[in-house]
Amino acid sequence: MTVTALPARARWVWDARDRTRAVRVSTHPAQGLLNLSIWRDDLCVGTVKLRPDEVAGLVSGLTDGLAQLATTPPPAAGPATVTDLETRLAAVESRLSAPRPSAAARLRALAARLGEHLPPALRG
């Protein structure tokens, strides 16, 4: 097995959604290649080695995509619904090491605590 030293210079590009995913771009001049590696947390999950002509095609595709984004306005985002927020919160909670009560369960518990302080006519 041959171990290749990491290049001294590399560029990281983080995923727009969070900082647990990234693409690392590094050059390997001795081999005449550019390497794109896909990372999740601190684990490399895939690589692509590209020749200069292939990199030129990739850059062209990125440029075309960027030009399209510049001329197309982003869709208007409506207000988040409770379901959207619960779904996003559940995704975050699923990555936590210790299980926690769901957001809905915490909201029910809070409502119950608040309900104890309401006059009987206002309790549901």
Side-chain angles (χ1 to χ4, degrees):
M1 179 166 108
T2 303
V3 176
T4 304
L6 288 174
R9 297 182 59 95
R11 170 74 56 108
W12 288 90
V13 182
W14 299 100
D15 190 294
R17 296 167 288 185
D18 59 42
R19 292 191 59 91
T20 63
R21 291 170 272 208
V23 173
R24 183 175 186 264
V25 180
S26 56
T27 56
H28 296 275
Q31 292 88 18
L33 298 171
L34 183 129
N35 187 68
L36 298 178
S37 51
I38 310 295
W39 293 75
R40 286 199 189 113
D41 295 316
D42 59 351
L43 180 66
C44 178
V45 296
T47 62
V48 177
K49 294 190 183 302
L50 302 168
R51 295 183 316 268
D53 62 311
E54 294 168 325
V55 174
L58 175 62
V59 169
S60 176
L62 291 171
T63 303
D64 291 346
L66 186 58
Q68 184 179 5
L69 289 176
T71 60
T72 306
T81 66
V82 172
T83 302
D84 295 335
L85 296 173
E86 285 182 340
T87 301
R88 289 171 55 195
L89 186 56
V92 170
E93 288 175 342
S94 71
R95 294 192 304 257
L96 297 174
S97 57
R100 297 179 60 191
S102 71
R106 291 196 310 271
L107 287 173
R108 284 192 295 273
L110 177 62
R113 285 197 312 269
L114 291 174
E116 296 170 2
H117 300 288
L118 293 175
L122 296 178
R123 292 183 192 162

